[in-house]
Amino acid sequence: MGKRSWKPGTMIYPLPAVIVTCGDSTENSNMLTVAWVGTICTDPAMCYISVRPQRHSYPIIKENLEFIINLTTADMARATDWAGVRSGAEYDKWSETGLTPREGVAVRCPYIDESPLCIECRVKSVMPLGSHDMFIAEVVNVLADERFFDPETDAFDLGAAGLLNYTHGHYYGQGEELGRFGFSVKKPDKKQKK
């Protein structure tokens, strides 16, 4: 069976289902679910989110030029979806989702306490693209949940957090690990050959 031509679309999946928090304090903040998110540079660490200008959080991000990308877990799936389909203009998303705001460290907006990894960002530029505007941002701090650090090696194991993924309108938990970066070219351990 061959390939079928299909209408042009953004079919690059899966994506992380993240909740972006914004505002100038824990008391004056909002959150929205974003799937158009990604890394664009390592040094300096930079990322992007794309947001529709009609979203309630759009002018908040544009005015404050800061946001936090909060990775979500399978346990947060209901709250993640709810934060994406309801507007902060009509609801207090913190109380409705039961998520806990905590004061940011390097930015003024709050992060989500339940999130295993919170990426504090400062906007460098806004690029209008069509349906969405892309906020290009520098990562100014990362808050990592202590529960996912190995006590012996101090390595952070984000895979153990049970991250939530988004694929073409559906949410999925993370599957089993299939390998580690470089495993396809790694030479066998001589000790294991015996």
Side-chain angles (χ1 to χ4, degrees):
M1 197 174 280
K3 301 262 193 252
R4 179 195 306 184
S5 286
W6 202 27
K7 63 181 180 176
T10 53
M11 299 296 292
I12 303 167
Y13 293 110
L15 295 164
V18 304
I19 298 178
V20 171
T21 49
C22 56
D24 59 15
S25 66
T26 51
E27 296 77 27
N28 186 30
S29 63
N30 194 47
M31 66 174 81
L32 74 156
T33 303
V34 173
W36 308 146
V37 58
T39 300
I40 54 175
C41 189
T42 339
D43 188 14
M46 295 185 75
C47 59
Y48 78 91
I49 59 170
S50 290
V51 181
R52 290 181 185 270
Q54 300 83 3
R55 297 292 299 261
H56 178 69
S57 292
Y58 178 93
I60 299 170
I61 297 169
K62 198 156 186 184
E63 179 182 331
N64 293 295
L65 298 176
E66 295 177 339
F67 60 85
I68 298 177
I69 298 171
N70 301 271
L71 299 189
T72 61
T73 64
D75 291 341
M76 297 171 67
R78 188 173 222 21
T80 302
D81 183 64
W82 200 97
V85 297
R86 297 291 188 214
S87 173
E90 300 170 13
Y91 296 93
D92 174 352
K93 291 187 179 184
W94 294 105
S95 63
E96 295 287 342
T97 60
L99 297 174
T100 311
R102 296 284 184 235
E103 189 174 328
V105 174
V107 296
R108 293 170 294 159
C109 52
Y111 66 90
I112 298 172
D113 193 45
E114 292 80 3
S115 172
L117 197 74
C118 309
I119 305 165
E120 297 185 324
C121 301
R122 195 161 290 129
V123 176
K124 292 303 215 182
S125 65
V126 182
M127 184 183 300
L129 298 173
S131 62
H132 292 67
D133 285 1
M134 179 186 291
F135 290 88
I136 297 172
E138 184 174 358
V139 176
V140 294
N141 191 40
V142 175
L143 299 164
D145 193 319
E146 291 279 359
R147 293 177 298 164
F148 302 107
F149 281 92
D150 183 302
E152 293 177 17
T153 64
D154 205 35
F156 186 66
D157 184 6
L158 191 55
L163 296 178
L164 186 64
N165 297 307
Y166 179 81
T167 301
H168 199 52
H170 301 268
Y171 299 99
Y172 295 93
Q174 199 166 348
E176 68 179 88
E177 181 181 334
L178 302 176
R180 186 181 178 108
F181 180 77
F183 82 101
S184 64
V185 295
K186 185 178 178 187
K187 295 184 177 161
D189 188 354
K190 290 179 182 178
K191 293 176 187 174
Q192 292 178 351
K193 282 186 162 182
K194 293 179 182 180

